[in-house]
Amino acid sequence: LCTRPDSALYDSPGCRLFRDEVQSEPSPLGDFGRRIVGIRASADPRGLTPIRKPELCGEDGEICREAMRGVWDEQVDSAERYYDRSERCRLTTFPAYEYTATPGMAKVHHNVIFRNGDVPPTPIPWVDQPDVYGLWEGLRAGCLEAGGACDVLTIPHNSNLSNGQMFAVTGRDLPVEEQRSRALLRMDLERLVEISQIKGDSECRNGMYQVLGEPDEFCKFEEWRGPEVEDCEEGTGRGALIGRGCVSRNDYVRYALLEGQREQSRIGVNPYKLGIIAATDQHNTNPGDVEEYSYQGWRGFEDASALQRLASGQGALNARNALASNPGGLAGVWAEENSRDAVFDAMKRRETFGTSGPRITARFFGGWDYREDLCGSAELVREGYAQGVAMGGDLPPRPEGAGAPRFVVSAMRDLGTAEHPGALLQRAQIVKGWVDGEGRFHQQVFDVAGGETDAEVNLRTCEPRGRGHDSLCSVWTDPGFDPGQRAVYYLRVLENPTCRWNQLQCVSLPEGERPGTCEDPAVPKVIQERLWTSPIWYEGTSAG
């Protein structure tokens, strides 16, 4: 309505403000927030939900809903037009949209992805349905139970900026059967979670409330919020998008997985049975361009130059911090072919992984009797499927007399290109988590292949040096296995250290033109790119 000149409301005061054509009062959210005032009746960061502006949308909001339906039709038509149904299978597209829940400036966004062109006639936006369970109920009624071929899943993203709200357990005052029904609905529709993107990493954070175990040195990766931020403990907060409010263990995927197991012990259903992907979430319409060496920012003209990207300070809106941002990650899916049904089925069974950008690939299988010499076999993948489960699955019941589970790990590095070779791999790790009888979270990290090396980076030239691996493989047995204890396992693979994008761009500038951030010791100059697989779950022989 505000960006298309043929709109009847194009020249309205609100639209002119949104397009930044008129002066207005400053906003605590900066220029972005000031412009949003043009289309919202309330842009107060303390508010829970946005309100459509009656002058733009009409008193009942129908003008804006009608415009939304028109845009949705265009999106669906575009996805249909560009889906390659030929034998070449060059591009698979899905109709999708984002449910942009941002209560109190905490990011609780969910991507909604449909299997095919059989979709509801309109999206369910946060402004109309502020409760995410209302979103899922609407998708169940309008898609899964609509009688056609419609199928859908949702993916929470950027949970590191959710002030604990993304995976907070709500509705505990409801009857237990209703709580179970809500958990089953979420588990059915929300199969995956985004672990990393341009606005930081959402895997883990050291020192969180009632998380026991040795600190994980590799949790300090693309941290968005500083160590001084208050811990929410069992509560939630607001304001992460503007650098405010507490940080919660439920902002991180590792602990959301454990929160799910804690809920399973309480009500018998795990609402957070989540596979793992990564993504970009950048706004330049080139989502696969994730290499550090070619990073051009993510906000169009606002960070189009190296000096803009290297500027210090984050401004009023924390989520637009150029220097803290990164090129983003990639989602990997193990599917039989590049088609809608095959890819969507793989996402639903959680046979997925994410990377922080490089095109590393990995296999992760779990079972009870994998042979120790499987890494030397050309049949690794076939035997992995035949004798156990792949990433995203549940270990089969423990056979009589069996010992601890065995996990097969295999990873291949990103070769890169002749001009920009990919980095060598340093190590593969299995991360194990469990919840004890008192509801405390436990984490343990095992090096299962590779390990510490002499790898380092010359910061003056960004040339890497030191030993590493083209591939890593291992058959690992859990040394601390308790057959009566639920547990969750996932694979993490790390590259050798390389220069982060900002150091590459600092080095490329003449010394006299480099901004102060190039010498700031608080700004990270090195990155260890990585891969994470979806977990494998063990239910425990005595678990309730």
Coordinates of all heavy atoms in Angstrom, one line a residue, residues 17 22-28 30 33-35 37:
L17 N 5.3 9.1 5.5 CA 6.2 9.0 6.6 C 7.0 7.7 6.5 O 8.2 7.6 6.7 CB 5.4 9.0 7.9 CG 6.2 8.8 9.2 CD1 7.3 9.8 9.4 CD2 5.3 8.8 10.4
V22 N 8.7 12.8 4.8 CA 8.3 13.9 5.7 C 9.1 13.8 7.0 O 9.5 12.7 7.4 CB 6.8 13.9 6.0 CG1 6.0 14.1 4.7 CG2 6.3 12.6 6.6
Q23 N 9.2 14.9 7.7 CA 9.9 15.0 9.0 C 8.9 14.5 10.1 O 7.7 14.7 10.0 CB 10.4 16.4 9.3 CG 11.4 16.9 8.3 CD 12.7 16.1 8.4 OE1 13.2 15.7 9.5 NE2 13.3 15.8 7.3
S24 N 9.5 13.9 11.1 CA 8.7 13.4 12.2 C 9.6 13.4 13.5 O 10.8 13.6 13.4 CB 8.1 12.0 11.9 OG 9.2 11.1 11.8
E25 N 8.9 13.1 14.6 CA 9.6 13.1 15.9 C 10.6 11.9 15.9 O 10.3 10.9 15.4 CB 8.6 13.0 17.0 CG 7.7 14.2 17.2 CD 8.6 15.4 17.6 OE1 9.5 15.3 18.4 OE2 8.3 16.5 17.1
P26 N 11.7 12.1 16.6 CA 12.7 11.0 16.7 C 12.0 9.8 17.4 O 11.1 10.0 18.3 CB 13.8 11.6 17.5 CG 13.7 13.0 17.4 CD 12.2 13.3 17.2
S27 N 12.5 8.6 17.2 CA 12.0 7.4 17.8 C 13.1 6.7 18.6 O 14.3 6.7 18.2 CB 11.5 6.4 16.7 OG 11.3 5.1 17.2
P28 N 12.7 6.0 19.7 CA 13.7 5.3 20.5 C 14.3 4.1 19.7 O 15.3 3.6 20.0 CB 13.0 4.8 21.7 CG 11.5 4.9 21.3 CD 11.4 6.0 20.4
G30 N 15.2 4.5 16.5 CA 16.0 5.1 15.4 C 15.2 5.3 14.2 O 13.9 5.4 14.2
G33 N 12.5 2.7 13.4 CA 11.3 2.8 14.2 C 10.4 4.0 13.8 O 9.2 3.9 13.9
R34 N 11.1 5.1 13.5 CA 10.3 6.3 13.1 C 9.5 6.1 11.9 O 8.4 6.5 11.8 CB 11.3 7.4 12.9 CG 10.7 8.8 12.5 CD 11.8 9.9 12.4 NE 12.8 9.5 11.4 CZ 12.6 9.7 10.1 NH1 11.4 10.2 9.7 NH2 13.5 9.4 9.2
R35 N 10.1 5.3 10.9 CA 9.3 5.1 9.7 C 8.2 4.1 9.9 O 7.1 4.2 9.3 CB 10.3 4.5 8.6 CG 11.3 5.6 8.2 CD 12.3 5.0 7.3 NE 11.7 4.5 6.1 CZ 11.9 3.2 5.6 NH1 12.7 2.4 6.2 NH2 11.3 2.8 4.5
V37 N 6.3 3.9 12.4 CA 5.2 4.7 13.0 C 4.2 5.0 11.8 O 3.0 5.1 12.1 CB 5.6 6.0 13.7 CG1 4.5 6.9 14.0 CG2 6.4 5.6 14.9

